[in-house]
Amino acid sequence: MHSKYIISFIICLLMFTAVFAEKHTDNEATEGKEFQPVDMIMSHITDSNEWHLWTTTDEEGHEHHVSIPLPIIIWDGEFKAFLSSKIAHGHTHRGYTMVDGVLTATDGTDKATIVDLFSGLEGKYVDLSITKNTTAMFISILLLLLIFITMAKSYKKNKLKPRGIAAFLEPIVVFIREEVAIPNIGENKTDKYLPYLLTVFFFIWFNNLLGLLPTFPGGANVTGNIAVTLVLALCTMVIVNLNGNKHYWKEIFTPDVPILMYPIMIPVEIIGIFTKPFALMIRLFANITAGHIIVLSLIGMIFIFKSAFVSVGAIPMTLFVLLLELLVAALQAYIFTVLSALFIGLAVKEHH
Amino acid sequence: MNPLVNPGIGLIFWFSIAIIILIVLLKKFAWKPILKAIHQRNNAIDKAMSAAVDARAEVDKMKAKNEQIIQQAKLEKEAILKEAKLTSEKIVAASKDKATEEANRILAEAQKRITQERLAAVQDMKSQVAEHAVDIAEKILKDSMQKPAVQDQYLSSLMNDIELN
């Protein structure tokens, strides 16, 4: 029953793709164009303002790109919102265009970075577009809501034994509670932080798995995007520091060392507040991105050597790395959750 | 900056909103009911388990009790049998004694009766002998008195006796 819903949900998404996907004709001829592995890999692992599906080449050598157009939202003194199909392939609309799928201002103004948010936005435009990763993230959130609300509802019918999706996911939920949350946070306070840990675990896991899919609705490198891991790590940091008890702050400002050591220890402890979530952010981002780079590099070998025979070696290797990635998908979700639980536990645990 | 390590403001903005909504929605509609259901089921299982253990203990206790009762019954049976045997022996012995006594009593009675009968017979014989002797003496007297000499003699002896007195 539930799996039927999920399948029909995915089919609906695919139909949406078929309706909105638009064909663009690239006037550049492909002849003479050298294969650029770095460009290929970078375009796969970074964000983009359209969801590229596939490219065909006609008899005249013209490339036809099929992509899902995504909404562009810009603030540069005024709000501008339009679909990316308006600026695709050299078209310009209200002062913007797309270069390799990424929004660019035609007058040369820079896109505001995260640093500019603090140092001033003058002469820069803020890009709030619903990008490929944003869309993939929304899709994964809908999927998570669908799956777990279905699971919660199934308990009303099956009180004695979990059935369907619940039979598969319940051991994982129980594992997070009993092996991750309780040992780190303690029985009393687990209930308060468990919803966050469970959400983060399944969000990362599902997005890692969706990222391994070759194309829509997966294929976006959501958990391998530093903005996503930054927000996740910030969530942990905020929870840790908002709920830190007296003991936690005492360890930072009056650590258990001779007073002469304070000038060294206190700055180290204060830096520690930021390095812990920073490590969380980098670890998840680097692991997932690295996995994608390896897979793409192995596939790219075939095109670099321009020989189908390379695939004899490259395909089994890719398969092996993909299987490894399946493991890493769960492992990185687990590690992020365990470390979040550990940091929360260190901040809130009662000490006697 | 390399786009890989340049977090996009748009994604940060949308994801911050989305993750908070996701946590809130999942907490309310998924984690709470799921964890509650698991907790309730665990409690039910624990309760059933302890009930089963209790029932088992009860059964064991009853078994032990039954065993004890059987043992006791066995002992009682043996005691009763022993007693019955003893009683029967006693009864047999008692009846034997009684019979002997009765026999002795009958024997004694019989002996007594025999003695009595014999005495009576002797008495009877004695009295009969006396009668006969009297009869014989009468007859002799009659015979001898018919003669006048004898009568005279007798009379004179009688006279003598009176005189002498």
Side-chain angles (χ1 to χ4, degrees):
Chain A
M1 271 299 275
H2 309 315
S3 55
K4 242 189 233 164
Y5 288 136
I6 294 161
I7 290 165
S8 52
F9 171 74
I10 290 166
I11 289 170
C12 282
L13 283 177
L14 287 170
M15 282 166 75
F16 166 87
T17 315
V19 171
F20 285 94
E22 288 175 27
K23 258 187 166 181
H24 300 288
T25 309
D26 208 342
N27 291 323
E28 281 174 60
T30 43
E31 290 158 24
K33 222 178 163 187
E34 200 61 26
F35 175 70
Q36 295 293 332
V38 174
D39 290 349
M40 182 274 281
I41 290 170
M42 284 302 280
S43 77
H44 271 91
I45 59 177
T46 52
D47 210 352
S48 117
N49 287 84
E50 60 176 6
W51 200 318
H52 182 249
L53 295 177
W54 62 78
T55 302
T56 52
T57 311
D58 61 17
E59 302 93 59
E60 291 163 36
H62 294 307
E63 277 188 349
H64 300 280
H65 296 285
V66 180
S67 341
I68 305 170
L70 298 170
I72 305 270
I73 302 164
I74 301 163
W75 190 81
D76 57 355
E78 58 171 324
F79 265 105
K80 292 175 180 169
F82 46 86
L83 274 183
S84 70
S85 51
K86 284 198 171 156
I87 52 170
H89 297 278
H91 292 100
T92 307
H93 183 81
R94 297 175 78 176
Y96 294 95
T97 187
M98 255 191 322
V99 177
D100 294 326
V102 178
L103 179 76
T104 317
T106 43
D107 59 3
T109 41
D110 286 329
K111 196 183 282 182
T113 61
I114 192 158
V115 184
D116 298 328
L117 281 181
F118 302 101
S119 61
L121 291 169
E122 274 152 65
K124 293 189 171 147
Y125 67 93
V126 178
D127 177 13
L128 290 177
S129 304
I130 308 291
T131 57
K132 180 182 172 184
N133 280 336
T134 316
T135 314
M137 179 265 293
F138 284 148
I139 290 171
S140 74
I141 282 177
L142 286 179
L143 202 64
L144 280 162
L145 286 172
L146 186 84
I147 288 173
F148 288 101
I149 292 173
T150 311
M151 179 183 170
K153 277 184 182 155
S154 84
Y155 280 98
K156 283 191 183 125
K157 275 185 277 169
N158 310 304
K159 285 216 159 82
L160 276 182
K161 202 180 162 207
R163 285 190 196 281
I165 196 91
F168 173 63
L169 292 170
E170 191 197 299
I172 303 169
V173 172
V174 172
F175 173 80
I176 297 293
R177 186 182 132 80
E178 282 173 12
E179 306 296 328
V180 175
I182 291 176
N184 287 314
I185 303 174
E187 192 111 30
N188 299 335
K189 293 189 172 163
T190 288
D191 285 349
K192 189 177 169 190
Y193 304 102
L194 194 56
Y196 171 69
L197 294 176
L198 283 168
T199 309
V200 160
F201 176 81
F202 285 107
F203 178 83
I204 296 174
W205 189 35
F206 274 44
N207 275 297
N208 286 349
L209 291 177
L210 285 170
L212 293 179
L213 292 178
T215 187
F216 187 86
N221 190 17
V222 177
T223 41
N225 186 295
I226 201 153
V228 171
T229 60
L230 171 78
V231 173
L232 286 172
L234 270 175
C235 285
T236 299
M237 187 177 139
V238 166
I239 288 175
V240 165
N241 289 293
L242 280 187
N243 293 291
N245 58 17
K246 238 187 235 167
H247 185 269
Y248 170 75
W249 293 110
K250 193 191 146 279
E251 283 284 291
I252 291 169
F253 292 111
T254 53
D256 200 10
V257 289
I259 295 201
L260 280 177
M261 295 282 282
Y262 276 19
I264 302 166
M265 282 310 289
I266 293 173
V268 165
E269 291 283 355
I270 290 169
I271 290 166
I273 297 174
F274 300 98
T275 51
K276 283 171 187 168
F278 188 81
L280 280 181
M281 169 180 91
I282 296 295
R283 182 181 298 106
L284 182 59
F285 152 74
N287 270 286
I288 303 307
T289 301
H292 286 224
I293 291 173
I294 293 169
V295 169
L296 292 165
S297 306
L298 287 168
I299 296 289
M301 298 259 267
I302 301 167
F303 299 95
I304 291 166
F305 291 106
K306 288 182 182 145
S307 162
F309 290 109
V310 180
S311 61
V312 176
I315 298 295
M317 291 266 278
T318 310
L319 202 63
F320 169 72
V321 175
L322 276 173
L323 287 174
L324 204 68
E325 283 298 290
L326 275 181
L327 173 74
V328 170
L331 194 71
Q332 287 305 321
Y334 170 73
I335 289 173
F336 194 99
T337 316
V338 165
L339 289 176
S340 292
L342 181 76
F343 297 152
I344 293 170
L346 283 175
V348 304
K349 236 182 186 173
E350 296 295 337
H351 294 265
H352 301 288
Chain B
M1 212 187 319
N2 188 317
L4 259 185
V5 288
N6 184 10
I9 292 172
L11 190 47
I12 291 175
F13 173 74
W14 291 114
F15 183 52
S16 302
I17 296 169
I19 191 82
I20 289 167
I21 293 171
L22 180 70
I23 292 169
V24 169
L25 286 181
L26 280 183
K27 183 178 175 179
K28 186 149 191 258
F29 297 111
W31 306 133
K32 275 199 174 159
I34 288 170
L35 292 166
K36 205 176 138 198
I38 292 172
H39 186 71
Q40 275 172 351
R41 176 155 30 86
N42 283 353
N43 276 355
I45 289 170
D46 280 352
K47 225 184 247 174
M49 287 263 270
S50 66
V53 168
D54 283 355
R56 179 125 190 212
E58 196 76 6
V59 166
D60 282 349
K61 225 160 102 186
M62 289 242 282
K63 248 186 188 166
K65 216 173 170 182
N66 280 357
E67 200 91 338
Q68 209 185 336
I69 288 171
I70 288 169
Q71 203 63 32
Q72 216 170 346
K74 258 186 190 165
L75 282 174
E76 230 161 275
K77 183 191 89 180
E78 262 168 39
I80 289 170
L81 272 176
K82 221 172 168 184
E83 210 174 330
K85 222 173 169 183
L86 225 86
T87 315
S88 72
E89 270 172 16
K90 235 191 232 168
I91 288 169
V92 168
S95 57
K96 228 184 199 167
D97 284 358
K98 218 175 173 182
T100 317
E101 207 177 293
E102 188 72 12
N104 287 347
R105 196 181 59 80
I106 291 168
L107 225 76
E109 194 112 325
Q111 258 169 355
K112 216 164 130 191
R113 281 267 286 277
I114 288 166
T115 322
Q116 270 175 359
E117 297 273 306
R118 211 182 61 199
L119 278 172
V122 169
Q123 206 68 37
D124 204 30
M125 232 165 61
K126 266 184 186 168
S127 65
Q128 270 184 16
V129 168
E131 247 172 74
H132 285 302
V134 172
D135 278 353
I136 290 165
E138 208 181 69
K139 268 172 195 173
I140 292 166
L141 264 171
K142 260 177 194 170
D143 274 350
S144 45
M145 284 306 171
Q146 274 158 2
K147 287 163 201 171
V150 175
Q151 281 178 1
D152 291 345
Q153 201 188 342
Y154 183 63
L155 271 168
S156 60
S157 74
L158 274 176
M159 291 304 246
N160 284 348
D161 279 352
I162 294 164
E163 270 170 37
L164 280 165
N165 286 342

